[in-house]
Amino acid sequence: MKAYLLFLLCHLLALPAFSQMSVAAFPGEAAEAPKVPGAGGAALHIRKAASEMKTDGVLDEAAWRQALVAVDFLKQFPVDSGLADTRTEVRMTFDEHNLYVGMTCWQAREDYTVQSLKRDFPNGVSDAVNILIDPTKDGLNGFLFSVSPLNVQREAWIDNGVTLSFEWDNRWISAVQNYDDRWVAEIAIPFKTLRYTVTTGDNSWHVNFVRTRLKDWEVSTWHPVPRQYAANNLAFCRPLVWETPPPKPGASISLIPFTTASRGIDYRRDGATYELLDKSTSSKFGLGGDAKIGITPSLNLDLTINPDFSQVEVDRQVANLSRFELFFPERRQFFLENRDLFAMFGFPSTRPFFSRRIGLARNPVSGFNETVPILAGARLSGKLNDQWRIGVLNMQTDRVNWDSVRALPAANFTVATLQRKVLKRSAISAIFVDKENLLGKLSEKQKTGYQSWNRVAGLEFNLYSEDNRWEGEWYYHRSFSPDPKQRGQTLAQFLGYFDRHFNTRLGYMLVDSNYTADAGFVPRKGYQDFYPGVGFILYPDSKYVNTVSAGVEGNLSFALDFQETDRDVALYCTVNLKDQTSVNLALWNAYTYLFEPFDPTNLYRPGTQPLEGQKGYAYSGARLRFTSSSSYNLQGNFDLNVGQFFNGTRFGIQGEIGYRWQPVGTFALSYIYNSIRLPEPYASANFWILGPRAELSFSRKLFASAFLQWNTQSNNFNVNARLQWRFAPVSDVFLVYTDNSFAEAVADTRARFLLPKNKTLVLKVVYWLNL
C-alpha cells in the first residue's frame, strides 16, 4: 500500500509539468510518450539519445519512445481553422553527431502524389513533410529539410523569412517505411550541416513542421500559420528547447573536385547572308574544384578554382517587347548560398550587385550569351553572432577576345556586406561593390567603352514586423567611377501592410542619370517610380471557392523633372479555388513616352519604320490568367493579354501544359505567342516560342532531362539535354548536350530551319568529399 501511495504521489507531482500535453501510446509500442499539440503554443523539448541511433525508417529505438511528440497539426490551407484531416506526428532527438527527426504520416498508399524521384522537387508537386529550423530565432534565416512518401529528399536555405533556395546542397540521411495506412520517415541531419552557435544561456531554437497533401490539397502545420502567408514562413515557429545543449558542430571541411571534357563545333557565318565562313572544332579538358570550410559553426568560407557550370539548366527564353534589358535569375549554385547578403540589395530594377555579371557576357560577334572563364573565387558568409552577419565575395575572370577589335577585359569583382539585426525581425545593412577592369593588355580600340573601375556603396533598412503584417525597405546607394558622368545615386522606400482581409503598399524609387553599377542590374536610368496598390480579400463560405480578392495596383514612372514617361495601372479580381485552381481577370491602362525611335518588335527589319520618338502613346486592354490545380496529373496555365499596343494592337498568350507520370517525371510544353499589328509603315510581327520539355527519373540516382526552345523572335532553336547519375551522396556524373541552330528560314539568305550555329557535348564528374 505504501508503494502504491508513493507512486500515486509522484504521478500527481508530475502532472503540472505536462499541463499542456496529452499522453497517448506510441504506435506499436506499449510505452507512452508526452504529446505537444499544435494549439496552445507549448515548446517542444528535445532530449539526447542514450543509445545508438539507426536511420532505417523504423522508430523502434528507446530515444523515440522517450521523445515528446508534436501532434494535432492544424489546417493552413484551404482554411486555417481546425485540426488537419490526416494525422501527423513528429519526434526529435539527437546525439553527438546528428539531429534526428522521426515522422509518422497517416495516408493511404494509393493516395500518394509524387511527381518524380529526383531530389530538390519544387513546391506543390509532391506530398511531403517539411522541417523548418531557425537556430538563431531571427525569423529571417534558416533551413528547410523535406522528404516525400517515396523518400525523395530536398533541402533549402531560407532567407528573408520565406524565400527558398533549393540550390543549397548538403549531405544528410533519410529512410522511409511505407504501410497501407501510413508512411514513416526517419531523418538524420549532421550538426555540421547546420549553421549555429552554442550559447551558455538560452538553449533554444525555433522550429515548425509543415505537411502537404496534394490529392485533397491540404496544407497543415504544427504551429499555426495564417493562410494569407506562406506555410514555410519563419515568422511562425515555436521554441525547440534543448534539455542539454546541442553539441558544438566541430570542424566542417568539404572538398568538391571535378573534371570536365568537352567537344564543341562553332559555325561562323556572314552577318548578312549567313554564308558559312569558317567551321572551328575545339576539344577541352578541365580540372577544378570547390572547398567549403566552416570557419565557425555559423561562418563559412567557400573557395573555387576554375569553376564550371555546364550542368546548370539553361535559361527559359522570353519575348522582349520592351526597350530595356531583361532580367534572368541566377542558377549557379556557388552564388546562391546566403544570396540575401549579396543579391537582394536594392529593388529588382536597381540591384547594385548581380552575380550573372560574373562569368557570363554577350558575345557581340555571335549575339549569344557565352561563358567567360572564371579563374578563382572566394566567399566568406554567415553569422558572426546572433546579431551580426557578414558577406565578402571576390572573383577573378579572364580576358576574352571576341575578334581583332573587340574584347572583354579580365576583371576582378569584390562585394562586402555587413548586416545588423534590429528589432525582432528587421535589419540594417551596408554594401560595397567594386569592379576592377584590367585594361593593360588591351589595345586602344579594345579599351573603348570601359572604365578602369566602378564602385557602389550603400545603406539599407529592411523591416519585417513580428506578426508579418508590416514589410518595408529603405535604401540609399551611390556609384563612383573615374568618369564624372558615372557618379550618381539611387534611393527608394517601400512600405506595405498585409492583413487577412486588406493589404496596401506604396513604394518610391529614384535613379538619377549618372548612377552606374557595372556589376549590378540597372536597365534604366534618369527616372523615378511610384508603386501604389491596395487590395481586399474575401473568404466566402463555399464548397469550392477559397478566396476572392480584388484591388488596384500600378507602376507610375516619371522623368527627373516629373514628366510622365510610363504608366501601367490595373484593376484586378482573382478567384482561388480550394484545389489551388486560380483565375485572374485584370483591366489595364498603359502609357509610354518614347524619347527615341523604337520598334516594339525589336527586329528593325528593312522596309519598316520605328515608332516616332519624342511622343507619348496611351493604350488599354484586358488580361486573363488561369492556373489549374497541381493535384491532377494533367495540369496547365495560360496568360492571355489582348488590347491596344502603342498605335496598334497586340494579342498575346503564354503558358504551359504538362502531364505528371508519377513517380517517373513530367512532360510539358511551354508556349509564348505574340501577334503585333501596327499600321504601315510600322513593323508588325508574329512571334512564337515553343518549349517542349521532359524531366525523367529512372531511380533516385539516374535522371534525364531534355528542353527544346524554338524562338522565332531571335531566330534560334536551342536543344539542351542532360543525363545525370548520382553515384554517391551529392556526387554526380553529368553528360550535357547543347545545340543552337536557326529556327526558321530568312528570305534571300542561306538561313534555313536547323541550319547549325554551334553545338557542344560536355562530360563532367563531381565528387563531394567530407573531411
Side-chain angles (χ1 to χ4, degrees):
M1 175 64 70
K2 291 182 179 180
Y4 174 76
L5 291 175
L6 180 62
F7 169 79
L8 182 62
L9 177 62
C10 292
H11 183 69
L12 292 173
L13 290 174
L15 282 177
F18 299 103
S19 59
Q20 300 184 58
M21 305 176 190
S22 60
V23 179
F26 184 94
E29 299 290 342
E32 294 184 343
K35 297 194 173 186
V36 186
L44 182 66
H45 289 247
I46 181 171
R47 301 165 178 166
K48 188 174 183 179
S51 57
E52 182 180 357
M53 300 292 295
K54 182 180 180 181
T55 307
D56 55 6
V58 180
L59 308 183
D60 56 357
E61 288 87 355
W64 294 127
R65 294 194 296 270
Q66 299 165 2
L68 276 67
V69 191
V71 298
D72 294 345
F73 278 44
L74 302 169
K75 292 182 178 180
Q76 195 267 342
F77 182 89
V79 296
D80 55 4
S81 61
L83 294 177
D85 291 338
T86 55
R87 284 196 297 152
T88 307
E89 295 185 352
V90 180
R91 298 164 169 82
M92 300 186 76
T93 186
F94 70 101
D95 59 21
E96 286 299 317
H97 304 287
N98 300 311
L99 173 65
Y100 297 94
V101 186
M103 300 171 290
T104 304
C105 306
W106 273 262
Q107 183 179 13
R109 192 193 300 260
E110 61 269 19
D111 291 341
Y112 294 171
T113 300
V114 179
Q115 177 168 285
S116 80
L117 301 177
K118 189 174 182 180
R119 187 187 182 102
D120 288 340
F121 52 92
N123 280 336
V125 300
S126 294
D127 295 341
V129 173
N130 307 279
I131 306 156
L132 305 179
I133 303 175
D134 180 5
T136 59
K137 300 178 295 184
D138 63 4
L140 294 174
N141 303 280
F143 308 91
L144 176 141
F145 296 89
S146 308
V147 66
S148 79
L150 299 186
N151 196 28
V152 183
Q153 298 178 344
R154 68 173 184 173
E155 68 277 341
W157 168 259
I158 305 176
D159 59 60
N160 290 326
V162 69
T163 305
L164 301 177
S165 297
F166 291 111
E167 295 81 5
W168 179 75
D169 281 334
N170 265 286
R171 300 177 69 167
W172 52 287
I173 301 171
S174 66
V176 172
Q177 296 291 332
N178 299 99
Y179 306 95
D180 289 341
D181 63 341
R182 69 193 186 280
W183 55 280
V184 181
E186 192 171 15
I187 292 175
I189 305 171
F191 279 113
K192 61 184 180 181
T193 292
L194 303 172
R195 312 289 168 81
Y196 67 95
T197 56
V198 179
T199 60
T200 56
D202 182 15
N203 286 319
S204 66
W205 294 0
H206 277 176
V207 297
N208 202 7
F209 313 109
V210 180
R211 170 106 181 260
T212 302
R213 291 188 306 109
L214 266 65
K215 184 174 182 179
D216 299 317
W217 249 119
E218 180 183 77
V219 179
S220 58
T221 62
W222 178 55
H223 184 76
V225 180
R227 61 176 168 175
Q228 67 265 31
Y229 305 120
N232 59 277
N233 196 314
L234 291 180
F236 304 98
C237 288
R238 192 178 298 186
L240 174 70
V241 179
W242 302 80
E243 295 194 355
T244 58
K248 293 183 177 180
S252 175
I253 301 177
S254 300
L255 300 180
I256 313 169
F258 72 84
T259 181
T260 62
S262 65
R263 176 80 169 175
I265 303 176
D266 186 67
Y267 301 84
R268 191 167 64 90
R269 300 183 181 278
D270 180 87
T273 66
Y274 302 114
E275 288 279 357
L276 182 63
L277 302 177
D278 180 56
K279 176 183 175 182
S280 60
T281 303
S282 62
S283 298
K284 297 179 182 179
F285 297 90
L287 292 172
D290 298 341
K292 292 179 172 291
I293 304 170
I295 304 299
T296 70
S298 57
L299 187 64
N300 205 62
L301 174 64
D302 293 89
L303 304 173
T304 185
I305 298 176
N306 190 31
D308 174 85
F309 305 105
S310 55
Q311 82 279 10
V312 174
E313 182 182 341
V314 297
D315 291 320
R316 293 202 172 195
Q317 299 178 28
V318 296
N320 188 1
L321 306 180
S322 74
R323 298 158 287 163
F324 310 112
E325 177 188 7
L326 297 178
F327 178 87
F328 291 93
E330 178 61 85
R331 300 179 183 273
R332 298 169 295 176
Q333 182 179 346
F334 183 85
F335 298 102
L336 290 170
E337 187 172 351
N338 279 324
R339 65 177 179 176
D340 66 305
L341 277 173
F342 301 98
M344 304 305 291
F345 282 80
F347 279 14
S349 57
T350 56
R351 301 297 189 198
F353 174 67
F354 182 40
S355 57
R356 285 177 65 106
R357 301 297 185 213
I358 304 175
L360 292 170
R362 185 179 183 275
N363 184 334
V365 178
S366 67
F368 291 104
N369 284 329
E370 297 184 4
T371 58
V372 175
I374 300 176
L375 302 179
R379 181 187 63 215
L380 178 70
S381 60
K383 288 180 176 287
L384 299 175
N385 53 44
D386 286 349
Q387 302 298 322
W388 290 93
R389 297 176 71 211
I390 189 174
V392 179
L393 172 74
N394 184 269
M395 305 290 288
Q396 178 66 49
T397 61
D398 204 358
R399 183 181 76 253
V400 177
N401 292 316
W402 303 123
D403 57 24
S404 59
V405 295
R406 287 174 289 187
L408 182 71
N412 183 269
F413 298 81
T414 300
V415 185
T417 67
L418 187 64
Q419 185 181 91
R420 176 65 160 87
K421 177 185 173 183
V422 296
L423 304 177
K424 289 288 188 178
R425 300 179 61 235
S426 304
I428 296 175
S429 308
I431 185 171
F432 174 76
V433 183
D434 178 34
K435 180 185 179 184
E436 300 281 340
N437 290 316
L438 308 180
L439 305 177
K441 296 184 179 181
L442 299 186
S443 67
E444 290 304 316
K445 285 187 177 181
Q446 290 175 330
K447 292 180 182 179
T448 303
Y450 293 109
Q451 296 291 319
S452 57
W453 54 269
N454 174 261
R455 294 165 191 153
V456 175
L459 290 172
E460 297 204 4
F461 173 60
N462 288 273
L463 169 71
Y464 296 95
S465 66
E466 188 174 4
D467 60 6
N468 215 59
R469 285 187 170 91
W470 291 95
E471 179 179 336
E473 179 179 356
W474 292 260
Y475 78 76
Y476 177 80
H477 300 163
R478 189 161 190 88
S479 66
F480 306 88
S481 172
D483 183 359
K485 295 182 179 180
Q486 295 186 6
R487 303 172 190 169
Q489 63 183 349
T490 175
L491 55 91
Q493 78 83 28
F494 172 84
L495 184 62
Y497 178 78
F498 304 91
D499 203 354
R500 187 176 184 86
H501 296 282
F502 172 75
N503 59 79
T504 184
R505 53 214 172 271
L506 178 64
Y508 170 76
M509 179 181 67
L510 180 145
V511 184
D512 76 13
S513 301
N514 295 332
Y515 179 71
T516 304
D518 284 350
F521 181 78
V522 187
R524 187 179 181 185
K525 301 180 185 180
Y527 73 107
Q528 47 189 333
D529 268 357
F530 292 87
Y531 309 98
V534 61
F536 301 88
I537 306 174
L538 302 177
Y539 302 87
D541 184 12
S542 168
K543 182 179 179 181
Y544 301 104
V545 177
N546 189 43
T547 63
V548 177
S549 59
V552 60
E553 58 187 5
N555 185 350
L556 310 175
S557 297
F558 299 86
L560 299 179
D561 61 1
F562 285 93
Q563 175 190 352
E564 186 178 20
T565 62
D566 295 271
R567 178 178 68 247
D568 187 359
V569 179
L571 179 67
Y572 68 87
C573 179
T574 303
V575 178
N576 293 308
L577 305 186
K578 292 188 174 180
D579 66 354
Q580 290 278 25
T581 298
S582 175
V583 180
N584 170 272
L585 176 64
L587 302 176
W588 54 264
N589 174 262
Y591 173 83
T592 303
Y593 185 87
L594 297 179
F595 290 92
E596 298 176 352
F598 172 64
D599 179 358
T601 70
N602 274 314
L603 295 177
Y604 295 92
R605 287 172 174 165
T608 63
Q609 294 182 12
L611 298 175
E612 295 90 346
Q614 300 298 316
K615 183 178 179 181
Y617 299 83
Y619 42 104
S620 301
R623 182 179 65 240
L624 176 65
R625 292 173 176 168
F626 171 82
T627 302
S628 70
S629 170
S630 59
S631 59
Y632 308 111
N633 289 331
L634 182 64
Q635 52 196 268
N637 63 81
F638 69 81
D639 184 339
L640 175 65
N641 204 321
V642 180
Q644 300 168 324
F645 191 60
F646 290 93
N647 61 348
T649 62
R650 174 191 168 216
F651 174 88
I653 185 170
Q654 61 181 347
E656 183 174 276
I657 183 170
Y659 180 77
R660 178 175 58 219
W661 181 22
Q662 61 172 334
V664 177
T666 60
F667 300 91
L669 174 66
S670 61
Y671 55 90
I672 301 175
Y673 174 70
N674 281 284
S675 177
I676 298 173
R677 292 292 176 264
L678 304 183
E680 294 184 353
Y682 308 112
S684 297
N686 296 318
F687 295 144
W688 278 100
I689 301 178
L690 296 178
R693 175 172 51 88
E695 296 185 5
L696 305 176
S697 55
F698 304 106
S699 69
R700 293 187 183 89
K701 296 184 177 181
L702 186 61
F703 316 101
S705 65
F707 189 18
L708 284 64
Q709 297 185 88
W710 181 67
N711 187 334
T712 62
Q713 185 182 33
S714 62
N715 199 359
N716 190 69
F717 180 59
N718 173 261
V719 177
N720 181 259
R722 181 176 62 179
L723 184 66
Q724 177 185 358
W725 173 40
R726 176 146 289 187
F727 63 91
V730 207
S731 303
D732 300 278
V733 176
F734 295 97
L735 184 63
V736 182
Y737 175 72
T738 304
D739 185 305
N740 288 288
S741 59
F742 283 85
E744 59 183 359
V746 179
D748 302 322
T749 71
R750 300 287 294 178
R752 64 184 187 279
F753 178 53
L754 294 183
L755 184 70
K757 298 179 180 179
N758 57 63
K759 54 188 68 177
T760 306
L761 182 66
V762 179
L763 176 66
K764 180 177 181 179
V765 181
V766 184
Y767 184 70
W768 187 300
L769 177 65
N770 282 338
L771 301 182

